[in-house]
Amino acid sequence: MNKKIYIKTWGCQMNIYDSSKIINILEKNNYSITKIDLKADILILNTCSIRDKSHEKVFHQLGRWKKIKKKKKNVIICIGGCVASQEGEDIFKRVNYVDIIFGPQNIHDLPYMIDKFLKVKKKIIKINFGKIKKFDYYSKKKNLKTTALISIMEGCNKYCTFCIVPYTRGFEISRPCDDIIREINFFAKNGVKEIILLGQNVNSYNGKKNNGGICNFSSLLYLISKINNIKRIRFLTSHPIEFKDDIIEAYQDIPKLVNFLHLPVQSGSNKILELMQRIYSIEEYKNILKKLISVRPNIQISSDFIVGFPGETENDFEDTMKLIKEVNFDASFSFIYSPRPGTPASEFRDNISFKEKKKRLYRLQKRINKQTIFWSNKMVGSIQKILVEGISKKNFFELSGRTENNRIVNFIGNKDIIGKIIYVKITSINPNSLKGIII
Ligand code: SAH
Ligand code: F3S
């Protein structure tokens, strides 16, 4: 009988991508997906460990699933993702009703692990790094959304002192270039118009080509830009140290690269950047943006910030605030520093109170929100190129699309333009979306 899988995903886009691969792999092995956990034969949790809170959420969820396991003794509980990788066997000790633990690079082993568990009824764990096979499983679905995520590399070699990713996802491995192009061609043939390239450091992409050559990140961008039906290219995440001139040139040459860049800076203080081992200075960061703006004058920038890193003085924080104003960031992912076990920074002396950290985060986010509104206001009256994504979630009579700088625009239009790039004039702004009219 066809077994039913329920999967819950937390964390970054990478995890969302991994979950879609888990689904591809299991569907290929005759499992089917259910949206109701009570109906599932197999419960999968794809976890995130980037901050303490995301990590702990996993155990709360497992607490809820305990009730299901009590009612349905045969349900199999699997833990994947970065918490699986970080905690390994310890999860079995902490939660004795977990059956399978698999790491981010063992997704392809899952059908085999489930089969083995069913046969021998013994807990199974696989969290090794190695050759990544998950990329070999393509979706066969023909009816795709307008946007598709595609992972181009896995892991990270940077070892920023605060970050757990290099320990949970392993070394950087680039996916072969021809594989990526083949998958994007498949997407393009099946309705995808926009792709988001994923990796911890997409800029250090260095994939093998079938002809024996090597393809770097900018070359990959040029190759993708030649695929006709793909109208927009985005990528996540970049590390400033590898944001070299060839990528700036790509911005000059490839109109399909959106006028928006997420370039994490983390802090505006050189002292803190050094403690974080980010290996660039604020001057270098600003220099990248200067070059980028010289080829894309209207580009908008977003960033990640960590507030309250050990040793961050009031002056260091003011440097961050200064940078935020100067660059006029459009958006941010900003969080209070969370010590992660096994990382160097978790042993640094931290004498800032949590109350002070919260105060700083509040100030930072308030400032960025103000800037987001500034950028949105600036768009009123302008003509924007949007990708029409579908019917508006709020109003059935309206369509919804996305601008290059990630704003949702709602407008009246005919359904046959879904999936197309069109031009709209922005008429007003709401807190989470814009209104427009087709021109
Ligand atoms: N590869 C990306 C970031 C990956 S992690 C880069 O080059 O920046 C995503 C974000 O989570 C980071 O940019 C950072 O801002 C945040 N983060 C990572 N570890 C953290 C920690 N220990 N505490 C708080 N935020 C953290
Ligand atoms: Fe983490 Fe730094 Fe890599 S933030 S993912 S170690 S670039």
Side-chain angles (χ1 to χ4, degrees):
M1 203 187 66
N2 186 299
K3 288 209 180 297
K4 288 203 164 44
I5 310 278
Y6 175 88
I7 179 162
K8 194 166 182 83
T9 309
W10 279 316
C12 57
Q13 298 280 356
M14 206 73 156
N15 264 17
I16 296 172
Y17 174 84
D18 279 354
S19 286
S20 73
K21 285 284 159 196
I22 293 174
I23 293 171
N24 291 162
I25 291 165
L26 290 172
E27 280 182 338
K28 225 179 190 162
N29 283 273
N30 292 325
Y31 293 91
S32 64
I33 305 299
T34 169
K35 293 209 161 113
I36 304 164
D37 55 4
L38 279 167
K39 285 194 179 162
D41 303 294
I42 297 160
L43 294 167
I44 302 175
L45 199 49
N46 194 7
T47 65
C48 170
S49 172
I50 198 84
R51 282 170 291 272
D52 189 44
K53 259 195 189 152
S54 38
H55 191 107
E56 278 311 304
K57 230 158 92 172
V58 173
F59 295 96
H60 293 146
Q61 179 64 41
L62 285 172
R64 286 193 280 275
W65 281 355
K66 189 177 185 177
K67 290 185 198 119
I68 300 183
K69 186 95 176 180
K70 258 192 183 155
K71 272 194 217 140
K72 256 173 107 175
K73 290 262 174 307
N74 288 334
V75 76
I76 302 176
I77 298 187
C78 314
I79 308 295
C82 287
V83 174
S85 180
Q86 189 198 345
E87 297 237 345
E89 298 258 358
D90 285 351
I91 297 177
F92 290 144
K93 287 184 204 143
R94 190 165 160 184
V95 186
N96 63 8
Y97 49 91
V98 166
D99 303 304
I100 292 176
I101 297 174
F102 64 100
Q105 298 190 15
N106 304 99
I107 284 171
H108 59 280
D109 294 319
L110 205 49
Y112 154 81
M113 292 170 86
I114 296 172
D115 279 355
K116 191 161 174 205
F117 178 82
L118 286 170
K119 270 189 208 125
V120 298
K121 291 274 180 302
K122 263 195 191 150
K123 295 184 187 300
I124 304 182
I125 176 165
K126 238 175 190 251
I127 48 169
N128 53 312
F129 302 138
K131 197 169 173 280
I132 300 184
K133 293 208 179 120
K134 67 185 170 203
F135 297 141
D136 300 345
Y137 293 83
Y138 293 174
S139 166
K140 285 225 173 99
K141 284 201 183 112
K142 295 275 155 96
N143 203 357
L144 300 172
K145 291 196 180 138
T146 48
T147 299
L149 300 172
I150 178 157
S151 174
I152 62 167
M153 49 127 26
E154 177 75 44
C156 181
N157 297 347
K158 298 285 181 294
Y159 290 93
C160 301
T161 55
F162 54 81
C163 186
I164 199 143
V165 171
Y167 310 92
T168 57
R169 285 193 173 258
F171 260 1
E172 283 172 6
I173 301 180
S174 292
R175 184 175 173 189
C177 167
D178 300 86
D179 268 17
I180 297 172
I181 299 298
R182 195 157 44 124
E183 192 167 18
I184 299 179
N185 270 318
F186 173 82
F187 286 154
K189 277 197 197 107
N190 290 288
V192 171
K193 296 288 166 17
E194 174 182 78
I195 54 140
I196 306 179
L197 305 173
L198 295 179
Q200 294 301 339
N201 290 302
V202 287
N203 317 135
S204 58
Y205 175 78
N206 218 10
K208 279 196 190 116
K209 290 174 86 167
N210 283 354
N211 66 10
I214 288 284
C215 175
N216 68 9
F217 184 58
S218 58
S219 313
L220 182 68
L221 290 175
Y222 285 98
L223 286 175
I224 298 168
S225 72
K226 293 198 183 94
I227 302 176
N228 260 340
N229 282 349
I230 298 298
K231 307 291 182 201
R232 272 186 181 176
I233 308 170
R234 299 183 188 270
F235 52 84
L236 278 174
T237 308
S238 298
H239 190 294
I241 200 71
E242 272 143 347
F243 208 94
K244 297 272 164 58
D245 288 353
D246 57 327
I247 303 177
I248 309 267
E249 262 169 50
Y251 271 92
Q252 187 164 24
D253 299 339
I254 307 175
K256 288 180 181 181
L257 265 179
V258 293
N259 230 3
F260 187 85
L261 171 68
H262 183 68
L263 192 60
V265 64
Q266 313 297 356
S267 166
S269 150
N270 279 333
K271 181 191 98 189
I272 297 297
L273 289 181
E274 207 164 303
L275 287 170
M276 289 176 165
Q277 228 175 90
R278 287 289 291 183
I279 47 182
Y280 53 81
S281 66
I282 287 304
E283 292 68 31
E284 284 164 322
Y285 182 83
K286 287 200 286 198
N287 201 26
I288 297 169
L289 296 187
K290 200 169 134 199
K291 286 191 212 163
L292 193 61
I293 290 167
S294 74
V295 299
R296 289 285 188 99
N298 299 318
I299 195 159
Q300 280 158 48
I301 311 294
S302 70
S303 183
D304 290 349
F305 294 95
I306 294 180
V307 174
F309 188 77
E312 184 190 73
T313 61
E314 190 58 41
N315 275 346
D316 295 320
F317 179 66
E318 287 308 330
D319 285 344
T320 302
M321 291 299 286
K322 208 169 103 200
L323 181 79
I324 289 174
K325 286 180 199 161
E326 200 179 329
V327 174
N328 205 355
F329 289 103
D330 176 41
S332 82
F333 291 105
S334 41
F335 294 94
I336 290 174
Y337 165 70
S338 168
R340 307 309 296 125
T343 59
S346 67
E347 284 168 26
F348 293 176
R349 210 170 87 85
D350 185 359
N351 54 7
I352 322 155
S353 71
F354 194 67
K355 195 173 157 207
E356 175 60 27
K357 293 185 187 203
K358 272 197 352 209
K359 226 164 85 188
R360 289 182 192 172
L361 182 69
Y362 177 77
R363 261 187 72 198
L364 184 149
Q365 291 183 335
K366 198 168 151 200
R367 175 70 210 185
I368 301 240
N369 286 344
K370 210 165 138 187
Q371 293 178 186
T372 309
I373 295 170
F374 163 86
W375 284 109
S376 293
N377 268 328
K378 233 177 122 168
M379 292 166 78
V380 177
S382 71
I383 311 284
Q384 296 285 329
K385 208 169 158 186
I386 65 166
L387 172 59
V388 186
E389 291 180 341
I391 291 166
S392 155
K393 284 195 182 114
K394 294 226 172 99
N395 181 346
F396 187 76
F397 298 104
E398 283 185 338
L399 295 179
S400 178
R402 205 175 281 268
T403 61
E404 294 204 2
N405 61 345
N406 264 323
R407 288 338 188 247
I408 291 173
V409 184
N410 295 316
F411 59 98
I412 306 276
N414 201 315
K415 275 190 215 152
D416 59 9
I417 57 169
I418 292 173
K420 295 213 161 70
I421 298 267
I422 61 154
Y423 288 89
V424 293
K425 185 173 178 177
I426 305 301
T427 51
S428 61
I429 65 168
N430 294 325
N432 298 316
S433 61
L434 310 178
K435 277 238 175 248
I437 43 170
I438 302 181
I439 57 154

